[in-house]
């Protein structure tokens, strides 16, 4: 017994000695490695500073202004570092001067823009007709592959020429009555040394200048004190990128940032949170060729089967509005007469009618979705819709795919079953024609429809302006409602941002996701949030 | 020994070649790179130009040869997102990941060996049982959950640590702690099992009978013989951390290669994706090569092929 106790004691002493050495070695090495290993994120700003720290969900994928219409790039570039010829007020749809002070449609396919004089790029180069023309030439050059050319201009610009030092002319393939609206999304960068390559340091004419970009860490801008317009109150901004909504919310709670954007519905009621409607609408794109969705009665039934308010309450905690179109009500061409209400009995009747007419209404229908689509959790958005369809007698099931697969390919082509693809479409231009041509026109890149009569209605609307344009677009909308029903309309989306700094004032709007304009931020007394 | 090293090096070269071909094929299986990268509205002319510019218009076999030639020179093409050579982009982000992984593994190995050895020395004691339960819990909890809970507790509720970022030593605590948990749990279990077996071996009894000091028996004789499975597991865990820091880097906004990979995937930056996968693959092969060498040093029978 005694020897056991001694042995045990010596073993313990030896173990402790060895353990201490090992622990000292391990932790010493770890501390040595980590101490002073600062690899990013400068700590800047503070409650009293006019330097703003902003948490965004996605870093920019390009710093070239010719890719600014991609949301991740536009949130940083548009209206801050770079500017466009025109400005669009998304709340009123009114176009106002930007880098161009006036414009004229000199022929159906020719526009001339008079440029603002005395404006300079951040690198000192003058902004004039030559700079603007060379920017548009670069924009349409297929070798450069600018996102904005196809996404915004619809590959419709043929050339840009210098008329005089302050006037640039833009020639189009096809007439475009809303070119000034489109150009509000075409930001202009400085002529670069190698125009064939994408810029990695954005240089524009805007109220903020690029300072640094540490990929994976932060992006810095500072105020351009030589800006031609009104000086913004914000001194500078550090953008931080965090993929997780809960982390961005935590950063706002701990005041590590002044503003955190793209906050998920679960945090949308936290202090400082501001929810705002965006220009996006969620919908299902229907397969028009495979049973039972090839029967318009079934497509109508699916629209009547959706309890939109319940969907919004369950999936987005009440943040959203029931939708009956893929464009939001403020967009020109939105037709208030087109309305889909929750009428499950009517849905059942239509399905019975289709079944009696020979349609196989029990044939399976895939509801295809990306995981966590549009801020929802997992596949719950698709699950909720699927349950609503099945409740009226349809046979739907959810298929979750990789995000790129849904966004960039046509899932219909990969399935023999009828497919409904969950999408969200944003229209920042304030004009429905752009949405409908792209998603329903015969040549639309995302269209699964070719209806000549509808295309004629769109063409007629495209050549009109003002109230006439609005009426013609609404007529096209009515035609789709009565004769095609290509989508199941679900919800107008809302986003949430948290403004953590009580001295910072900013009112997000439908255009905020495309351009987070720093000059709209002001400082003053507590916001009371 | 030289023969053993050459044999392992040869295996490594073949593995790298396999990875190169796999990376190439997998990146092509995702569909047309032009259609993935360019907006849906891109004209056919723009798509054709993009394909010609990046060689996607050539037969796949020619593309593979070009890719192999480029890989041998370390040329994966320019990053679409950063406008710099993809390899350069990846290598500038690797140190952040490696530092995180090395710090985490040093701590995890230290803790794992301490906890496991102590549990083995006190087999079936209360401390042993508690450490087994805790280590089982540690290895079972997903990184993602630990990271988010860590932020909620230490940053939001207690306010003692920053939520995320990498600006100084305090920013290391949560990502490292998150990464440490699982390897510590696994290593503690492995060390305990190996040490229990080793301490029951005949040579330990002989050593005891010869009067060898207890600490020498445990840490010199038993631990060395128990070290082979420990090193094997630690090596796999290290590779897992380098590879799987993706989740932790994404949660904590750590500017490492995992974060880069996520951004590259979102931005369809194929050159960077290929470079990340290949560089990570090579790093893991080198790591395994080092583990093989350590094996053979600890147990000469391995290098003799016995």
């Amino acid at each position: 017994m005694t020897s056991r106790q001694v042995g045990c004691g010596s073993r313990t002493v030896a173990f402790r000695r060895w353990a201490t050495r090992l622990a000292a070695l391990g932790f010493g090495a770890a501390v040595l490695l980590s101490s002073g290993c600062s690899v990013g994120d400068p700590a800047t700003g503070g409650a009293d500073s006019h330097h703003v720290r902003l948490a965004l969900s996605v870093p920019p994928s390009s710093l070239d202004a010719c890719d600014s219409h991609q949301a991740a790039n536009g949130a940083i570039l548009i209206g801050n570092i770079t500017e466009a010829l025109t400005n669009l007020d998304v709340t009123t749809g009114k176009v106002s001067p930007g880098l161009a002070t006036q414009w004229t449609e000199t022929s159906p396919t020719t526009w001339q823009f008079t440029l603002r004089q005395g404006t300079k790029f951040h690198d000192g180069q003058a902004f004039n007709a030559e700079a603007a023309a060379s920017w548009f030439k670069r924009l349409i050059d297929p070798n450069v592959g600018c996102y904005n050319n196809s996404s915004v201009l619809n590959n419709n610009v043929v050339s840009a020429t210098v008329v005089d030092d302050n006037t640039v002319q833009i020639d189009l393939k096809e007439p475009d009555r809303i070119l000034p609206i489109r150009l509000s999304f075409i930001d202009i960068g400085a002529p670069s040394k190698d125009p064939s390559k994408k810029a990695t340091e954005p240089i524009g004419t805007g109220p903020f200048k690029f300072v640094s970009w540490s990929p994976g860490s932060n992006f810095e801008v500072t105020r351009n004190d030589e800006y031609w317009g009104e000086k913004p109150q914000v001194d500078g901004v550090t953008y931080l990128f965090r993929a997780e909504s809960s982390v961005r919310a935590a950063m706002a709670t701990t005041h590590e940032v002044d503003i955190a954007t793209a906050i998920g519905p679960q945090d949308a009621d936290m202090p400082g949170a501001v929810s705002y409607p965006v220009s996006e609408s969620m919908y299902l794109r229907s397969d028009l060729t495979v049973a039972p969705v090839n029967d318009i009665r079934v497509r109508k039934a699916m629209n009547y089967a959706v309890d939109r308010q319940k969907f919004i309450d369950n999936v987005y905690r009440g943040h959203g509005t029931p939708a009956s179109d893929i464009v939001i009500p403020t967009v020109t061409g939105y037709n208030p007469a087109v309305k889909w209400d929750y009428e499950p009995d009517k849905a059942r009747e239509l399905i019975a009618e289709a079944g009696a007419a020979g349609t196989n209404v029990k044939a399976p229908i895939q509801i295809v979705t990306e995981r966590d689509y549009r801020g929802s959790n997992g596949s719950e958005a698709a699950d909720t819709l699927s349950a609503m369809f099945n409740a009226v007698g349809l046979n739907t099931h959810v298929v979750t795919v990789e995000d790129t697969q849904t966004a960039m390919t046509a899932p219909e082509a990969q399935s023999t079953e009828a497919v409904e693809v969950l999408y969200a479409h944003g229209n920042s231009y304030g004009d429905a024609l752009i949405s409908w041509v792209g998603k329903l026109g015969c040549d639309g890149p995302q269209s699964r429809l070719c209806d000549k009569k509808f295309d004629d209605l769109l063409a007629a609307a495209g050549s009109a302006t003002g109230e006439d344009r609005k009426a013609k677009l609404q007529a096209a909308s009515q035609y789709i409602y009565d004769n095609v029903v290509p989508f199941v309309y679900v919800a107008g989306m809302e986003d949430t941002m948290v403004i953590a700094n009580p001295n910072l004032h900013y009112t997000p709007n439908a255009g905020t996701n495309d351009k987070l304009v720093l000059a709209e931020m002001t400082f003053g007394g507590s916001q009371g949030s | 020994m030289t023969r053993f090293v050459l044999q392992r090096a040869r295996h490594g070269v073949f593995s790298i070649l396999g990875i190169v071909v796999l990376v190439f094929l997998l990146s092509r299986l995702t569909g047309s790179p032009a259609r993935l990268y360019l907006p849906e509205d891109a004209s056919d002319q723009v798509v054709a130009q993009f394909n010609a510019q990046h060689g996607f218009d050539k037969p796949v076999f020619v593309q593979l040869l070009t890719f192999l030639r480029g890989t041998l020179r370390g040329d994966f093409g320019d990053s679409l997102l950063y406008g710099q050579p993809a390899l350069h982009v990846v290598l500038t982000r690797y140190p952040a990941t490696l530092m995180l992984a090395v710090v985490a593994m040093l701590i995890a190995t230290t803790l794992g060996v301490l906890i496991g050895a102590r549990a083995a020395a006190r087999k079936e004691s209360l401390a042993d049982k508690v450490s087994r339960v805790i280590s089982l819990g540690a290895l079972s909890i997903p990184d993602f959950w630990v990271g988010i809970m860590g932020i909620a507790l230490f940053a939001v509720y207690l306010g003692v640590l920053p939520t995320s970022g990498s600006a100084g030593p305090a920013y290391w605590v949560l990502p490292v702690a998150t990464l440490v948990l699982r390897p510590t749990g696994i290593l503690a279990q492995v060390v305990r099992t190996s040490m229990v077996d080793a301490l029951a071996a005949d040579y330990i009894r002989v050593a005891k009978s010869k009067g060898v000091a207890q600490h020498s028996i445990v840490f010199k004789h038993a631990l060395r013989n128990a070290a082979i499975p420990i090193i094997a597991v630690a090596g796999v865990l290290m590779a897992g951390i380098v590879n799987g820091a993706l989740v932790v880097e994404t949660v904590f906004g750590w500017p490492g290669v995992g974060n880069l990979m996520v951004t590259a995937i979102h931005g369809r930056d194929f050159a960077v994706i290929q470079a990340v996968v290949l560089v990570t693959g090579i790093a893991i092969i080198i790591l395994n090569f080092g583990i093989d060498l350590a094996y053979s040093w600890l147990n000469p029978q391995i290098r003799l092929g016995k």
Side-chain angles (χ1 to χ4, degrees):
Chain A
M1 185 68 183
T2 309
S3 69
R4 181 178 163 77
Q5 282 174 334
V6 170
C8 205
S10 67
R11 195 168 64 187
T12 306
V13 170
F15 179 86
R16 281 184 183 156
R17 192 185 305 141
W18 177 84
T20 308
R21 281 179 197 161
L22 183 63
L25 188 71
F27 283 105
V31 169
L32 199 66
L33 273 168
S34 63
S35 62
C37 291
S38 173
V39 284
D41 293 2
T44 48
D48 300 326
S49 167
H50 285 191
H51 186 102
V52 174
R53 296 154 306 168
L54 254 160
L56 303 180
S57 59
V58 189
S61 59
S62 166
L63 295 182
D64 197 305
C66 83
D67 294 325
S68 64
H69 197 240
Q70 280 182 306
N73 312 330
I76 292 174
L77 297 174
I78 299 179
N80 297 324
I81 296 173
T82 51
E83 296 177 297
L85 293 179
T86 59
N87 285 322
L88 172 70
D89 184 335
V90 290
T91 54
T92 62
K94 198 176 168 192
V95 183
S96 59
L99 286 176
T101 51
Q102 54 182 333
W103 47 90
T104 324
E105 189 180 17
T106 52
S107 84
T109 56
T110 307
W111 289 74
Q112 285 192 357
F113 291 82
T114 305
L115 306 180
R116 190 175 293 282
Q117 294 184 44
T119 306
K120 283 187 175 178
F121 290 104
H122 300 151
D123 62 356
Q125 294 185 72
F127 171 72
N128 52 27
E130 197 181 328
S134 62
W135 180 258
F136 278 95
K137 281 175 193 162
R138 179 176 181 268
L139 188 75
I140 62 175
D141 183 350
N143 291 314
V144 187
C146 290
Y147 188 90
N148 292 357
N149 183 35
S150 45
S151 173
V152 182
L153 295 177
N154 215 15
N155 306 300
N156 192 31
V157 171
V158 177
S159 64
T161 46
V162 175
V163 176
D164 59 47
D165 198 38
N166 294 312
T167 311
V168 66
Q169 177 172 306
I170 294 176
D171 294 300
L172 307 173
K173 284 181 211 161
E174 305 284 340
D176 184 0
R177 308 302 301 271
I178 58 166
L179 185 69
I181 292 180
R182 290 187 198 269
L183 290 186
S184 70
F185 291 91
I186 300 290
D187 274 30
I188 296 178
S192 54
K193 287 172 191 158
D194 185 354
S196 67
K197 285 194 168 181
K198 293 286 179 74
T200 51
E201 290 187 8
I203 298 170
T205 56
F208 291 89
K209 293 190 287 189
F210 169 76
V211 176
S212 64
W213 168 220
S214 306
S217 182
N218 62 69
F219 187 98
E220 294 254 6
V221 298
T222 189
R223 188 170 57 206
N224 170 22
D225 287 325
E226 292 169 26
Y227 181 55
W228 59 267
E230 196 180 332
K231 304 283 179 292
Q233 290 189 20
V234 172
D235 292 335
V237 175
T238 302
Y239 296 92
L240 300 164
F241 306 97
R242 300 290 183 268
E244 285 304 316
S245 163
S246 50
V247 176
R248 293 192 298 278
M251 292 171 89
T253 305
T254 57
H255 295 279
E256 287 176 26
V257 290
D258 301 293
I259 294 179
T261 63
I263 298 298
Q266 67 277 7
D267 295 311
D269 299 320
M270 64 183 282
V274 184
S275 291
Y276 54 99
V278 295
S279 60
E280 274 181 80
S281 185
M282 181 178 271
Y283 67 100
L284 288 164
R285 182 176 74 184
S286 301
D287 186 340
L288 304 176
T289 58
V290 182
V293 183
N294 60 354
D295 189 317
I296 190 171
R297 287 164 291 205
V298 173
R299 299 200 295 275
K300 283 185 175 178
M302 293 179 87
N303 272 289
Y304 286 124
V306 178
D307 185 342
R308 293 169 178 80
Q309 192 57 53
K310 188 177 274 181
F311 173 88
I312 291 161
D313 291 344
N314 289 354
V315 179
Y316 290 105
R317 300 194 179 201
H319 294 284
T321 49
S324 293
D325 203 335
I326 59 167
V327 294
I328 61 171
T330 52
V331 169
T332 302
Y334 178 85
N335 187 349
V338 168
K339 196 156 171 57
W340 293 100
D341 289 321
Y342 174 52
E343 295 182 50
D345 291 337
K346 202 167 179 179
R348 287 189 193 95
E349 278 170 28
L350 283 162
I351 290 167
E353 206 178 296
T359 300
N360 180 9
V361 293
K362 284 293 178 190
I365 303 169
Q366 291 184 8
I367 310 294
V368 178
T369 183
E370 298 168 21
R371 194 177 59 81
D372 298 344
Y373 194 58
R374 202 51 187 82
S376 58
N377 289 315
S379 61
E380 69 178 4
D383 289 336
T384 306
L385 292 169
S386 176
M388 290 174 179
F389 297 139
N390 293 346
V392 295
L394 293 171
N395 175 21
T396 68
H397 62 103
V398 173
V399 175
T400 306
V401 296
E402 292 298 320
D403 59 346
T404 51
Q405 208 178 336
T406 310
M408 300 296 172
T409 63
E412 292 95 329
Q414 298 165 13
S415 173
T416 52
E417 295 180 350
V419 171
E420 295 277 341
V421 188
L422 190 65
Y423 271 116
H425 168 63
N427 182 323
S428 319
Y429 305 98
D431 191 284
L433 185 75
I434 293 164
S435 299
W436 295 341
V437 166
K439 301 201 180 291
L440 294 171
C442 286
D443 298 325
Q446 296 173 26
S447 176
R448 300 292 173 267
L449 176 73
C450 187
D451 185 315
K452 292 291 179 195
K453 192 168 179 193
F454 179 65
D455 262 24
D456 289 345
L457 289 170
L458 291 183
S463 59
T465 53
E467 285 302 311
D468 184 30
R469 183 184 184 89
K470 183 179 171 184
K472 284 178 171 161
L473 284 170
Q474 287 181 340
S477 168
Q478 192 67 46
Y479 177 82
I480 283 292
Y481 175 76
D482 294 336
N483 301 289
V484 187
V485 194
F487 304 128
V488 179
Y489 306 97
V490 182
M493 309 307 295
E494 275 187 14
D495 275 348
T496 301
M497 67 165 54
V498 178
I499 301 175
N501 182 346
N503 296 319
L504 175 63
H505 305 283
Y506 176 69
T507 306
N509 58 46
T512 296
N513 288 0
D514 291 311
K515 44 181 178 180
L516 187 50
V517 180
L518 303 171
E520 292 174 4
M521 295 176 185
T522 57
F523 291 86
S526 172
Q527 200 164 232
S529 57
Chain B
M1 184 68 177
T2 310
R3 194 177 150 204
F4 174 78
V5 171
L6 287 173
Q7 191 187 28
R8 287 291 186 271
R10 197 171 63 236
H11 289 171
V13 169
F14 279 116
S15 301
I16 289 169
L17 198 63
I19 291 172
V20 172
V21 175
L22 205 63
V23 164
F24 174 84
L25 292 177
L26 286 176
S27 61
R28 264 63 183 176
L29 281 177
T30 55
S32 158
R35 285 294 176 198
L36 288 170
Y37 181 71
L38 296 169
E40 277 184 291
D41 325 68
S43 67
D44 291 341
Q45 191 196 3
V46 171
V47 171
Q49 192 63 41
F50 181 90
N51 284 334
Q53 214 169 9
H54 296 89
F56 296 135
D57 57 341
K58 296 192 170 65
V60 174
F61 182 69
V62 176
Q63 289 184 46
L64 175 62
L65 285 180
T66 310
F67 181 65
L68 284 171
R69 267 201 303 271
T71 304
L72 282 175
R73 294 195 308 266
D75 177 11
F76 295 87
D78 283 353
S79 161
L80 292 170
L81 305 185
Y82 305 110
Q84 294 173 325
L87 187 63
H88 170 77
V89 172
V90 173
L91 292 179
T92 51
R93 299 286 280 275
Y94 238 95
T97 296
L98 282 179
M99 281 195 289
L100 195 65
V102 169
V103 169
M105 272 314 289
L106 279 171
I107 294 172
T109 309
T110 308
L111 289 175
V113 170
L114 280 176
I115 295 166
R118 186 164 185 90
R122 300 262 193 283
K123 192 183 167 194
E124 298 306 328
S125 66
L126 181 65
D128 177 27
K129 287 171 184 167
V130 169
S131 69
R132 277 155 65 189
V133 170
I134 291 174
S135 58
L136 190 64
L139 69 90
S140 308
I141 303 172
D143 290 350
F144 179 82
W145 188 83
V146 174
I148 297 289
M149 287 301 113
I151 290 171
L153 179 62
F154 295 103
V156 176
Y157 185 68
L158 296 174
V160 292
L161 289 170
T163 59
S164 55
S166 52
Y171 291 80
W172 284 70
V173 177
L174 283 175
V176 167
T178 306
L179 277 179
V180 155
L181 213 55
R182 186 200 298 263
T184 302
I186 294 171
L187 279 170
Q189 300 249 339
V190 171
V191 169
R192 182 193 172 277
T193 308
S194 299
M195 287 290 284
V196 165
D197 290 344
L199 286 168
D202 290 343
Y203 66 88
I204 295 292
R205 280 203 295 277
V206 172
K208 280 181 184 171
S209 68
K210 285 183 173 177
V212 177
Q214 185 67 20
H215 67 275
S216 292
I217 288 171
V218 174
F219 302 113
K220 196 172 170 187
H221 298 281
L223 190 61
R224 178 166 178 171
N225 282 289
I228 290 178
I230 297 170
I231 288 175
V233 173
V236 172
L237 290 172
M238 180 69 183
I241 285 187
V242 171
N243 215 9
L246 189 142
V247 172
V248 168
E249 287 184 7
T250 302
V251 169
F252 292 102
W254 192 264
V257 80
N259 202 329
L260 173 70
M261 184 69 164
V262 173
T263 310
I265 290 169
H266 280 300
R268 336 280 182 218
D269 198 342
F270 287 98
V272 168
I273 294 169
Q274 289 171 344
V276 170
V277 174
L278 197 61
V279 170
T280 307
I282 291 170
I284 289 171
I285 286 168
I286 291 170
L287 190 69
N288 284 332
F289 185 63
I291 292 166
D292 284 346
L293 291 181
Y295 276 3
S296 66
W297 175 70
L298 286 164
N299 186 354
Q301 283 184 326
I302 290 173
R303 68 171 173 256
L304 295 173
K306 289 180 181 173

